[in-house]
Amino acid sequence: MSRGRLRVYLGAAPGVGKTYAMLSEARRACERDKDVVVGLVETHGRARTAGLLDGMEVIPRKRLVYRGATFTELDVDAVIARAPRIALIDELAHTNVPGSRNAKRWQDIDEILDAGIDVISTVNVQHLESVNDVVEQITGIPQRETVPDEVVRRADQVEVVDMAPEALRRRLAHGNVYAPEKVDAALSNYFRVGNLTALRELALLWVAGKVDEQLDRYRADHGIQGTWEARERVVVALTGGPEGDTLVRRAARIAARSKGADLLAVHVTHADGLSGGDPANLAHQRALVESMGGTYHQVVGDDIPRALLDFARGVNATQLVLGASRRGRFAQIFSRGVGVETTALSGSIDVHMITHEEAKRGRRRSQHSRAALTRKRRSIGWAMALLGMPALTAGLIPFRDDLSLPSEILFFLLMTVGVALVGGMWPAITAAVGGSLLLNWFFTPPVGTLTISDPENLFALIVFVVVAAAVSTIVDIAARRTREAASAGADAEVLSTLAGHVLRGEAAVPSLLARMRETFGLTSVTLLERIGPPGPDDQSQPESWRILATAGGAPCTCPGKADTDVIVDDDLVLAACGRLVDAEDRRVLEAFAAEAAVALRQERLREEASRAKPLAEADAMRTALLAAVSHDLRTPLASAKAAVESLRSTEITWSEEDRAELLATADESLARLDRLVANLLDMSRLQAGVLGVSLEPVALEDVVPRAIDDLGPLRERVEGDISVELPEIVGDPALLERVLVNLMTNAVRYSPAGEKVLITASWYGDQVEIRVIDRGPGIPPADHERIFLPFQRRGDRDNHSGVGLGLALSRGLAEAMGGTLVPEETPGGGLTMILSMPISSRAAVR
């Protein structure tokens, strides 16, 4: 089955006539004898739009109850079952009510397209993901319902429903769009001329890119060598900062206007792996890029401008999008920055510098940059700088006449290096500056003044300060790198533990939360889910959240009461109590939170699968039943009908023998039909778990003869050998008789002509074993369990052997009465069915 075609009417704003155009096209299709149905159309109370629905077939909507209110949504199954040629489905970007099969309406439409049904839909430009932020800047109104651009781009046809801003405002003023009481507010806010003009331009530019794609596809399909020498590729550089969303959307718009250009996002990490962007921001930005049809890449390089350009040239990019520098003006004096360096080296690649809200705010220093050394070590370093230098000076003064100035400088340099090793850069620089002053005053001629008479001594002091500062900086950097490496190692160890936790199958949410609480030393960790849509103050309202899982002490009931909270998505929040998690630890905490969300989704999928499995099994059984019973129902019905019609015929005079034979045929056929229907009903009850079982003491010498009599004409081929000395068993007399009839009928069917089926019973411990023995072809041991499958004959070519319910039903009835049914080979050839039933308590007492 080929996939259906999607046609989308795109508008710049509400009220331009998208739904009206869709319905008008549908009416034209109806006039051409096309099978068209209305899956879902929103008229919004517009009389002219509603009038176009008259006479059209409308699929009833599905009703859903959410938080006590009833909502209606598109009934996907009903549309697919109706199987029209064309389905009209309004509002492509609509978000479905929670509890629906799909989160978004465009996903519903995908299923309908997969069923081979053409779909006509509508969407406004403000709902396209790539221009969502621009529309908010223009109108001041955020749009929460969005659709990935790629969904609309892969539509087979996109048609703009265009209208001049003035004409749309006239429609609005005449009451053709909104109710009269809403017109004034709309005209003065969203529907201003400037807003509508900007939205119209966005819509036209977006469709222009779509037209270019179609033209390129046409040239490729027809082998036309175009004038374009290479395909446009736009690369956006991401740092992991908060400005990434703005850059991605801007790059997507540039790509959309460049004849179907490819969009690629790249993040450059340092070769040492110790620093990089915020993983949470990068994960979100990666999802945003992919939702717009782009791809995400990560490269390693210490020289960021060269790494970016190497990547861009490697993918034949023509444009590179960078964010404006977050470094302040003072920092830019010492380094031009990535943007300027990249622009200078870009060559033929166009570089776009995009401003954003974070520009020139400066980079936020990480927590471990501020704390490269412990507070204790820094305190000792300052003490050595402020007290050690004077103490060293006092110790060297008595030897001033015996030591040269270079020797004294070496002692001070040794002290400065010691301060750098213990306290880091700033105490060491302080020691270097103070040491140079002390050397100048106490040891450099003329002593007792800050004047230096010998230029060589001045040069020696300058070298001392430079060397001391350089050593101090190197020691501080080494200490910081050591601290970062230790932190990265600890993070890697925790993440490795988390990965092993998942690989071992311990990904249950409570287990993950318990591991998280132990790792970070928290008192409690709680996974919260929002109830209903987001509210302005719901962060501190426990009634707006439900606890999905918790570990530790008293659970946190809302994010506002947590010491640390991690937002997993719009509806899930991880709330941690006990302490405020450090910034460097938060990354690992976010990894735990993401894994907890995945585990939660997996648990819910397993629950849904477990609920769906019985339904699927029941559906499979019903399908097998319809396929299997056709012959078994028709044969006895046909035989009985033929016998009765022959008896009713007035054209033939039947003898008494013929009449008796016809009556016997009808009786046998109807009895066979009765057994088949009874088996089907009992099998259905067993599958549904509603079969009534009444257990009581039963004597086999009473049940077995009745079962043999129920065989009708087949009774002559069964021989019973039941001792009256056997104890009573526990069972349902009617069901036990049914089991024996099924077993004996099956044995007779496969026994050779002239061979009788033997039924015997014996007592072993607390069980009585009833054996039904035949001398037929038998069954290989490997197939012993297969014969108990319902409808196991449905794939056989022989449709005359029965529906294959007898043994399956017999085992089910036996187990319902507390017994067992197993097959065994008959010595000398054949099959023996062993029915084991428990003896009654009063028989055991005897």
Side-chain angles (χ1 to χ4, degrees):
M1 179 186 297
S2 60
R3 180 177 166 89
R5 296 173 61 84
L6 175 62
R7 181 175 183 175
V8 177
Y9 284 95
L10 174 68
V16 296
K18 302 179 303 301
T19 305
Y20 190 91
M22 177 179 69
L23 290 172
S24 299
E25 175 60 26
R27 284 200 165 273
R28 288 191 290 272
C30 290
E31 293 172 359
R32 297 191 296 269
D33 296 327
K34 295 288 185 67
D35 184 14
V36 182
V37 301
V38 177
L40 188 146
V41 168
E42 299 287 358
T43 64
H44 299 290
R46 298 162 191 167
R48 292 185 61 192
T49 303
L52 290 177
L53 287 171
D54 292 342
M56 299 191 70
E57 180 182 351
V58 180
I59 301 294
R61 301 187 187 187
K62 179 183 291 186
R63 295 185 175 273
L64 297 171
V65 178
Y66 177 65
R67 299 186 69 185
T70 301
F71 300 87
T72 60
E73 292 290 358
L74 172 66
D75 194 335
V76 179
D77 293 328
V79 174
I80 294 176
R82 169 61 177 78
R85 184 69 188 88
I86 302 172
L88 309 183
I89 302 174
D90 212 356
E91 298 184 357
L92 182 67
H94 171 77
T95 301
N96 292 332
V97 174
S100 302
R101 179 162 60 193
N102 295 312
K104 306 288 285 188
R105 184 166 293 164
W106 64 263
Q107 295 170 323
D108 294 338
I109 291 176
D110 257 357
E111 291 190 26
I112 295 173
L113 292 171
D114 288 338
I117 300 170
D118 292 347
V119 175
I120 304 178
S121 188
T122 64
V123 71
N124 282 328
V125 69
Q126 69 262 28
H127 297 299
L128 298 175
E129 181 64 54
S130 66
V131 298
N132 183 260
D133 59 335
V134 177
V135 173
E136 183 177 354
Q137 292 174 5
I138 294 171
T139 64
I141 299 174
Q143 299 291 335
R144 297 190 179 277
E145 291 190 330
T146 60
V147 58
D149 288 44
E150 186 61 23
V151 173
V152 186
R153 286 196 177 280
R154 65 172 178 251
D156 299 279
Q157 186 174 347
V158 178
E159 183 174 336
V160 177
V161 181
D162 190 30
M163 181 176 287
E166 294 78 6
L168 180 55
R169 285 172 59 85
R170 283 197 301 272
R171 286 198 65 201
L172 195 70
H174 293 159
N176 295 330
V177 179
Y178 293 143
E181 63 272 13
K182 298 181 179 179
V183 171
D184 290 341
L187 286 172
S188 58
N189 291 283
Y190 191 93
F191 288 84
R192 295 195 300 267
V193 173
N195 289 358
L196 296 177
T197 302
L199 294 175
R200 187 186 187 196
E201 182 182 14
L202 281 177
L204 293 174
L205 287 173
W206 195 94
V207 174
K210 171 68 176 176
V211 171
D212 286 336
E213 287 182 9
Q214 292 175 335
L215 181 59
D216 289 343
R217 192 180 307 120
Y218 175 83
R219 288 175 176 270
D221 292 343
H222 292 77
I224 301 174
Q225 298 298 323
T227 57
W228 300 281
E229 297 180 358
R231 189 175 182 178
E232 289 284 341
R233 286 183 173 85
V234 180
V235 173
V236 54
L238 301 178
T239 65
E243 75 281 357
D245 289 9
T246 302
L247 300 183
V248 169
R249 288 192 171 96
R250 183 61 181 274
R253 292 197 293 274
I254 293 173
R257 299 169 186 173
S258 301
K259 302 178 182 180
D262 291 334
L263 174 63
L264 303 93
V266 60
H267 171 67
V268 180
T269 60
H270 291 293
D272 57 16
L274 297 177
S275 59
D278 188 328
N281 284 342
L282 287 173
H284 170 72
Q285 290 156 16
R286 176 174 187 166
L288 183 61
V289 169
E290 292 174 349
S291 72
M292 295 179 180
T295 57
Y296 177 86
H297 307 267
Q298 188 163 312
V299 297
V300 177
D302 288 326
D303 190 335
I304 295 178
R306 292 190 179 277
L308 286 175
L309 291 171
D310 288 344
F311 174 81
R313 294 189 180 105
V315 298
N316 295 321
T318 55
Q319 302 185 67
L320 181 59
V321 177
L322 303 175
S325 177
R326 285 184 286 162
R327 301 160 69 249
R329 293 183 178 179
F330 181 77
Q332 293 181 18
I333 296 175
F334 300 96
S335 174
R336 295 192 298 176
V338 172
V340 177
E341 290 286 345
T342 304
T343 303
L345 300 172
S346 62
S348 61
I349 298 176
D350 296 335
V351 179
H352 303 266
M353 297 292 294
I354 308 300
T355 187
H356 50 84
E357 294 181 355
E358 300 294 323
K360 296 186 179 180
R361 289 188 177 181
R363 294 183 180 271
R364 298 185 180 94
R365 296 179 62 84
S366 64
Q367 179 70 18
H368 37 270
S369 294
R370 296 193 300 267
L373 299 173
T374 63
R375 179 178 298 178
K376 181 178 180 181
R377 286 184 60 177
R378 294 197 303 272
S379 300
I380 295 174
W382 282 111
M384 291 175 62
L386 299 177
L387 302 178
M389 284 298 183
L392 177 62
T393 302
L396 291 177
I397 287 177
F399 306 98
R400 184 166 46 192
D401 297 334
D402 300 326
L403 295 173
S404 64
L405 181 61
S407 300
E408 294 161 344
I409 289 177
L410 288 176
F411 279 107
F412 275 84
L413 181 60
L414 181 63
M415 174 63 73
T416 303
V417 171
V419 172
L421 291 173
V422 176
M425 181 173 63
W426 292 110
I429 290 178
T430 302
V433 174
S436 65
L437 295 175
L438 292 173
L439 280 169
N440 189 358
W441 184 272
F442 290 102
F443 302 101
T444 304
V447 175
T449 67
L450 295 178
T451 303
I452 302 176
S453 58
D454 189 349
E456 185 177 349
N457 292 337
L458 175 62
F459 177 74
L461 288 176
I462 293 174
V463 170
F464 163 72
V465 174
V466 171
V467 171
V471 170
S472 303
T473 302
I474 292 172
V475 170
D476 186 73
I477 291 174
R480 183 177 292 111
R481 288 290 183 261
T482 302
R483 180 79 173 241
E484 290 177 355
S487 176
D491 290 350
E493 183 178 355
V494 172
L495 293 175
S496 175
T497 303
L498 176 61
H501 181 81
V502 176
L503 291 174
R504 288 192 299 270
E506 304 172 5
V509 177
S511 176
L512 278 172
L513 298 184
R515 185 66 61 89
M516 192 185 312
R517 187 186 66 82
E518 295 170 1
T519 300
F520 295 99
L522 302 168
T523 57
S524 71
V525 181
T526 307
L527 188 63
L528 300 172
E529 184 177 42
R530 191 191 307 275
I531 302 173
D537 301 318
D538 61 358
Q539 295 294 311
S540 301
Q541 296 176 354
E543 61 272 12
S544 299
W545 301 86
R546 70 166 62 94
I547 297 175
L548 297 179
T550 186
C556 184
T557 56
C558 62
K561 295 183 178 180
D563 294 315
T564 301
D565 64 285
V566 176
I567 298 175
V568 181
D569 56 32
D570 291 341
D571 296 322
L572 285 179
V573 174
L574 185 74
C577 296
R579 70 180 181 89
L580 188 64
V581 176
D582 296 335
E584 62 265 29
D585 291 339
R586 188 178 178 88
R587 298 184 181 186
V588 183
L589 188 67
E590 289 170 349
F592 269 98
E595 185 58 38
V598 171
L600 175 65
R601 284 192 289 270
Q602 290 176 342
E603 286 185 1
R604 289 180 169 176
L605 288 174
R606 282 194 294 268
E607 291 174 359
E608 292 178 3
S610 64
R611 288 195 297 267
K613 184 177 180 180
L615 298 176
E617 291 176 349
D619 184 66
M621 175 163 287
R622 284 192 293 270
T623 302
L625 174 63
L626 292 175
V629 303
S630 57
H631 177 271
D632 294 81
L633 287 174
R634 282 198 306 267
T635 300
L637 280 174
S639 299
K641 182 179 180 182
V644 172
E645 287 180 350
S646 299
L647 290 171
R648 292 183 61 189
S649 175
T650 58
E651 298 178 358
I652 302 176
T653 302
W654 301 101
S655 64
E656 290 299 327
E657 292 81 6
D658 293 336
R659 186 180 296 274
E661 184 178 351
L662 290 172
L663 288 172
T665 300
D667 180 64
E668 181 182 351
S669 298
L670 293 174
R672 180 180 172 187
L673 181 62
D674 179 68
R675 287 195 300 270
L676 176 61
V677 173
N679 283 346
L680 291 172
L681 292 175
D682 285 343
M683 197 68 199
S684 298
R685 294 190 185 101
L686 273 175
Q687 292 288 336
V690 295
L691 180 68
V693 179
S694 177
L695 299 179
E696 60 184 64
V698 179
L700 284 180
E701 62 267 24
D702 295 333
V703 175
V704 173
R706 289 201 303 270
I708 295 176
D709 289 339
D710 288 343
L711 294 177
L714 298 178
R715 71 172 68 92
E716 301 300 328
R717 298 188 58 186
V718 177
E719 181 180 340
D721 183 14
I722 305 297
S723 173
V724 295
E725 301 297 328
L726 290 173
E728 293 179 332
I729 62 175
V730 177
D732 185 310
L735 298 183
L736 181 60
E737 185 176 335
R738 174 69 60 77
V739 172
L740 294 175
V741 169
N742 285 339
L743 294 178
M744 290 185 290
T745 302
N746 188 73
V748 169
R749 180 181 296 123
Y750 291 101
S751 293
E755 290 284 350
K756 285 194 173 185
V757 172
L758 179 62
I759 178 169
T760 65
S762 55
W763 178 14
Y764 294 98
D766 59 352
Q767 298 280 326
V768 170
E769 291 186 352
I770 308 166
R771 296 172 177 264
V772 180
I773 306 167
D774 68 60
R775 294 292 180 179
I779 297 176
D783 293 336
H784 279 181
E785 287 302 313
R786 188 178 67 85
I787 64 175
F788 292 105
L789 297 176
F791 314 115
Q792 62 92 20
R793 295 187 180 279
R794 65 182 182 271
D796 298 344
R797 294 184 179 182
D798 179 14
N799 291 328
H800 303 277
S801 303
V803 73
L805 271 180
L807 293 180
L809 178 61
S810 297
R811 171 173 275 190
L813 295 178
E815 293 175 348
M817 293 185 290
T820 60
L821 179 63
V822 295
E824 183 181 89
E825 293 185 29
T826 302
L831 182 69
T832 299
M833 301 299 298
I834 304 174
L835 173 64
S836 300
M837 299 294 295
I839 64 174
S840 69
S841 57
R842 66 187 186 188
V845 171
R846 290 201 303 268

